Amino acid sequence: MLDKNGIAKRIAQEVEDGYYVNLGIGIPTLVANYVRDDISVEFQSENGILGMGPFPIDGEEDADLINAGKQTITALPGASYFDSATSFGMIRGKHVDLTILGAMEVAENGDIANWKIPGKMVKGMGGAMDLVASAENIIVAMMHTNREGESKLLKKCSLPLTGVGCVKKIVTNLAVIEVTENGFLLLERAPGVTVDEIKAATEGILIVNGDIPEMDLD
């Protein structure tokens, strides 16, 4: 079973040379720490930076340099800063190759709910609405179940939707799953996790074809 850093490490394997990548709030912000050194990747944060680097070393934080989740970050050589209009122009103009988001629920058809829990005060949907509407390659980083042990990979989302039919792949603490027209397709399982455990933790249709390999995180 993976922790949050393990999820981020596995997702980093999906990042290719030359990609422009948007990192959402939560687990996705950790992905920048695990991208291979031999490829060139530009991380974009919707609050207005292109060229975001890993989290800073303790004691070297710059309080004026933050990501969309208000966490302190670093900037790589050549990084640029811009206003929200320019930032969302990049997103809406489909100039971002990969979007990595957190989620509270994902449905078997690729619907995603990641912005509101009924009854709880939130300021608004924020940039998630633009990201799911504009991105063509969305990977979700999330825990497979909630704190009560209930599945977060569902037949149909119960929370207010952020986007419809947009998620392509999900990486959880238990598995790597592709969203297909027939349901969730199991691609890999986390170290020490069995297929039966993944089935038990998945409410939506789970397709299992043959022997499922264990994730390689090296």
Side-chain angles (χ1 to χ4, degrees), residues 7 35 39 70 76 107 110 115 117 135 151 160:
I7 294 172
V35 173
I39 63 174
K70 300 180 179 62
L76 300 177
W115 76 280
I117 298 176
S151 181

Side-chain angles (χ1 to χ4, degrees), residues 37-128:
D37 294 332
D38 62 338
I39 63 174
S40 176
V41 178
E42 296 287 347
F43 286 105
Q44 191 248 24
S45 183
E46 64 202 57
N47 59 314
I49 178 172
L50 185 65
M52 185 169 56
F55 285 121
I57 298 171
D58 287 345
E60 297 185 7
E61 300 92 343
D62 180 348
D64 292 324
L65 195 55
I66 60 172
N67 61 20
K70 300 180 179 62
Q71 298 166 303
T72 53
I73 56 172
T74 59
L76 300 177
S80 59
Y81 307 94
F82 35 83
D83 61 18
S84 290
T86 302
S87 180
F88 282 95
M90 294 176 182
I91 294 168
R92 294 169 183 170
K94 300 184 184 295
H95 302 294
V96 176
D97 299 295
L98 174 63
T99 296
I100 304 170
L101 297 173
M104 292 177 279
E105 295 177 346
V106 177
E108 61 189 32
N109 68 339
D111 292 353
I112 181 174
N114 77 342
W115 76 280
K116 181 176 176 62
I117 298 176
K120 292 196 174 182
M121 179 69 71
V122 293
K123 295 180 179 178
M125 188 179 290

Side-chain angles (χ1 to χ4, degrees), residues 11 19 25 68 85 91 118 128 131 141 143-145 153 171 180 197 199 209:
I11 291 177
Y19 264 17
I25 297 170
I91 294 168
L131 289 165
M143 292 302 184
H144 211 102
T145 59
L153 277 66
V171 180
T180 74
E197 287 173 325
K199 287 180 178 178
N209 293 328

